Amino acid sequence: MERSRFDGWIAGVGTSTGLRCVVGHWADSPLGPFTDVMVEQSDGLRVLLAPSSAVADFVAATYRFDDVRLVDIAMTRTPERWTLRAGPLALTAEVGSRGPLGYLLRAVPRPLATAPAWISAIDHVARRVLPGVRTVGTAGNGRREYYAALDLHRITGADVRWNGEDQGVLADVDPPVRFGFGSTPKRPSVARVVTLVHTT
């Protein structure tokens, strides 16, 4: 079995016009550091924005998209703000405080939090606490994926533009995005995560 580990952050943002996006910012991965963006437009079109063909091939083999685009991606992250430029998408997100769930996630020792057995055991809890979110499931092409959430912060504001057009104010990620089993919390947030992908 081949095992791949991605260590970084995932941000989920919704807008009042219906555009929803999930940004993965990976400090360490088998593909090197990178940022990718999954966008679902208000009409349901699912778009992957990737910085390279290697990233596009891996992500598109794991999740479902209607369109895959290779674009230049520039990402700046601080504890208080994410600033992203990715082809047609321009996003600035204000990151707020850690909520009770974030404190609970931080209390779990990392070796335990990133163990597949633990991730599998808490999957049913995650579904109840964060509807639409799963921590383990089957991805494409014989892959099994595990999400280890280590921290969680609220996103308190966002400026989102698609092809230069303002997408309105920050809103819930609703309806849920349809890229794969993992989804993202309904409430806009930034999660510190380790993602494990096992390929048989």
Side-chain angles (χ1 to χ4, degrees):
M1 178 181 293
E2 181 182 347
R3 296 176 173 87
S4 301
R5 179 186 178 100
F6 295 77
D7 194 331
W9 296 261
I10 294 176
V13 171
T15 69
S16 57
T17 62
L19 184 139
R20 290 142 288 146
C21 57
V22 179
V23 181
H25 182 59
W26 306 104
D28 184 46
S29 84
L31 304 172
F34 72 91
T35 301
D36 68 309
V37 189
M38 306 177 191
V39 176
E40 184 164 350
Q41 299 176 184
S42 58
D43 60 2
L45 187 73
R46 297 165 297 184
V47 182
L48 171 64
L49 305 176
S52 70
S53 58
V55 170
D57 290 346
F58 187 92
V59 177
T62 307
Y63 300 94
R64 298 184 297 274
F65 302 97
D66 304 300
D67 187 16
V68 176
R69 306 183 194 179
L70 298 182
V71 300
D72 292 331
I73 297 181
M75 171 72 182
T76 303
R77 186 190 68 86
T78 70
E80 297 81 23
R81 181 179 292 110
W82 285 35
T83 303
L84 171 74
R85 299 294 181 271
L89 178 68
L91 165 68
T92 300
E94 305 298 329
V95 182
S97 61
R98 176 184 298 115
L101 182 55
Y103 284 104
L104 182 61
L105 293 171
R106 280 172 56 87
V108 180
R110 179 176 283 221
L112 176 61
T114 57
W118 169 262
I119 298 170
S120 298
I122 65 170
D123 182 56
H124 69 285
V125 178
R127 296 190 205 191
R128 291 179 177 274
V129 175
L130 297 171
V133 172
R134 296 184 59 188
T135 61
V136 62
T138 301
N141 296 290
R143 294 173 176 176
R144 189 161 182 81
E145 194 163 9
Y146 301 84
Y147 281 104
L150 310 177
D151 198 356
L152 189 69
H153 284 251
R154 303 180 183 93
I155 290 178
T156 58
D159 181 87
V160 183
R161 298 176 187 273
W162 182 256
N163 288 324
E165 295 186 5
D166 188 350
Q167 297 301 303
V169 298
L170 181 68
D172 287 343
V173 184
D174 187 41
V177 288
R178 301 169 299 121
F179 308 119
F181 77 88
S183 188
T184 189
K186 180 177 180 179
R187 185 171 186 177
S189 59
V190 173
R192 178 74 174 88
V193 298
V194 171
T195 300
L196 308 174
V197 181
H198 293 184
T199 305
T200 57

